[in-house]
Amino acid sequence: QVQLVQSGAEVKKPGASVKVSCKASGYTFTGYYMHWVRQAPGQGLEWMGRINPNSGGTNYAQKFQGRVTMTRDTSISTAYMELSRLRSDDTAVYYCARGTTELGYWYFDLWGRGTLVTVSS
Amino acid sequence: EIVLTQSPGTLSLSPGERATLSCRASQSVSSSYLAWYQQKPGQAPRLLIYGASSRATGIPDRFSGSGSGTDFTLTISRLEPEDFAVYYCQQYGSSPQITFGGGTKVEIK
């Protein structure tokens, strides 16, 4: 079954770090970029960055540069997103999403269910 | 960064009616890199349309996308009860720079 399974909800204090995992199954993990998107409560979707699981190369949205680190472990088909120096406005659901490029098109065709990260003192 | 502006913010319609959602870009977007997603409460987004007008696998033909350049439209020809949700447009730009519109909520009138 083609799916992305994310780790469970987290509660962190301001200033701490959080690491969310996303395990891929049912397809070739190294064949597709993995992206991270977050959604604050009642708000829209915000792209954070992506990782090439094959090379480990990353691209981050400017807003998160210096605070986010995306990594992967190909042996277990899992991508990770670590966000540091957490603030209360980082409270959000964090999604991983597979980026597909096919026939010149580009889109996110597979999403994880999301991981709620709550930042509170 | 390309900004996507969706309108209206909320669309109040009855089942069976036609819904027309707009997505306007601050600069020209390649149609190949414009997608639409549907999101229901408590769920992850779901791909509806890619390449501005191609339906994703399993998406009913009452959903259609059109447009080019800076103006794109998602149309739902006849609303079914399960179509009441929030819809987002998304674009992929160079670097990459990926942005989403602010969303349009389609609610039951």
Side-chain angles (χ1 to χ4, degrees), chain B residues 30-53:
Chain B
S30 168
S31 295
S32 296
Y33 298 154
L34 193 287
W36 289 91
Y37 300 85
Q38 176 194 65
Q39 187 179 33
K40 296 180 180 179
Q43 296 184 17
R46 176 175 73 142
L47 176 68
L48 292 178
I49 299 287
Y50 64 91
S53 61

Side-chain angles (χ1 to χ4, degrees), chain A residues 39 59 95 104 106-108 112, chain B residues 37 39 43-44 50 88 90 92:
Chain A
Q39 185 171 38
N59 301 97
Y95 294 101
W106 177 93
Y107 43 85
F108 291 164
Chain B
Y37 300 85
Q39 187 179 33
Q43 296 184 17
Y50 64 91
Y88 294 95
Q90 177 203 36
Y92 172 96

Side-chain angles (χ1 to χ4, degrees), chain A residues 13-18 65-68 83-87 90:
Chain A
K13 293 192 182 303
S17 296
V18 68
Q65 290 272 5
R67 270 208 316 144
V68 71
L83 189 62
S84 63
R85 303 193 300 278
L86 289 168
R87 307 183 292 254
D90 290 319

Side-chain angles (χ1 to χ4, degrees), chain A residues 22-23 25 29 42 53 56 60 80 87 90-91 117:
Chain A
C22 172
K23 182 173 177 59
S25 61
F29 176 64
Y60 302 137
Y80 302 92
R87 307 183 292 254
D90 290 319
T91 294
V117 175

Side-chain angles (χ1 to χ4, degrees), chain A residues 14-72:
Chain A
S17 296
V18 68
K19 191 171 186 177
V20 179
S21 68
C22 172
K23 182 173 177 59
S25 61
Y27 73 95
T28 303
F29 176 64
T30 52
Y32 299 81
Y33 279 88
M34 191 69 76
H35 297 251
W36 291 89
V37 175
R38 77 176 186 180
Q39 185 171 38
Q43 302 302 308
L45 302 167
E46 182 176 35
W47 181 74
M48 300 180 68
R50 71 174 186 179
I51 184 168
N52 179 337
N54 190 40
S55 67
T58 55
N59 301 97
Y60 302 137
Q62 190 167 8
K63 175 177 178 177
F64 299 100
Q65 290 272 5
R67 270 208 316 144
V68 71
T69 303
M70 295 177 187
T71 56
R72 92 294 189 215

Side-chain angles (χ1 to χ4, degrees), chain B residues 2 16 27 30 40 54 57 66 72 85 98-101:
Chain B
I2 296 176
Q27 54 188 282
S30 168
K40 296 180 180 179
S54 297
T57 302
S66 63
F72 298 89
I98 296 164
T99 53
F100 291 89

